[in-house]
Amino acid sequence: QVQLVESGGGLVQAGGSLRLSCAASGRTYSHYDMGWFRQAPGKEREFVAHINWSGVSTYYADSVKGRFTISRDNAKNTVFLQMNSLKPEDTAVYYCATRADPYGIGVFRLVSDYEYWGQGTRVTVSS
């Protein structure tokens, strides 16, 4: 059974940084693409970043490009989201997700591209 557990959220002032982690278990983690999404109160869940199964390819939403970095440590079954220069509009619950099929080709930006989700970690950025 695939399990994803996020951590690292919290309260931070605008301009600050946070590093989110997502620990995966239940299968060979290194074969699968991973993504980060976020959901602000009253809004739909939106794409933040994607990293392919090997870690070679990454893709970001325009709203976070240049400020956020997605990475993975396949030896530790963990994916990270380094968030710098945080803004109040980054306030949301952040979710990591993974796909059911291994060795994905292309960029996966839709909620429907991912079958497994974590429980989320809350990030609050104060102005």
Side-chain angles (χ1 to χ4, degrees):
Q1 182 177 357
V2 176
Q3 289 191 322
L4 301 172
V5 180
E6 301 97 334
S7 61
L11 174 64
V12 63
Q13 288 189 332
S17 298
L18 282 175
R19 189 191 196 203
L20 305 184
S21 299
C22 173
S25 63
R27 63 180 185 182
T28 306
Y29 162 80
S30 61
H31 295 177
Y32 299 87
D33 290 60
M34 302 291 294
W36 283 98
F37 287 74
R38 65 187 181 186
Q39 189 166 16
K43 295 188 176 181
E44 294 187 351
R45 193 168 297 190
E46 66 174 4
F47 170 77
V48 174
H50 161 258
I51 188 166
N52 81 320
W53 59 274
S54 67
V56 170
S57 176
T58 59
Y59 188 85
Y60 299 91
D62 288 343
S63 58
V64 306
K65 200 173 297 182
R67 301 187 298 121
F68 290 12
T69 303
I70 188 171
S71 61
R72 65 192 298 163
D73 184 339
N74 284 345
K76 296 183 178 180
N77 291 352
T78 303
V79 64
F80 304 98
L81 186 68
Q82 178 66 43
M83 305 187 296
N84 299 329
S85 302
L86 283 161
K87 305 175 181 180
E89 51 264 43
D90 295 319
T91 295
V93 177
Y94 283 71
Y95 299 89
C96 71
T98 189
R99 290 171 51 78
D101 296 329
Y103 307 119
I105 298 174
V107 178
F108 302 102
R109 297 176 289 175
L110 302 179
V111 171
S112 58
D113 287 334
Y114 296 85
E115 288 77 23
Y116 301 104
W117 294 82
Q119 83 290 346
T121 185
R122 185 173 302 275
V123 172
T124 303
V125 184
S126 63
S127 56

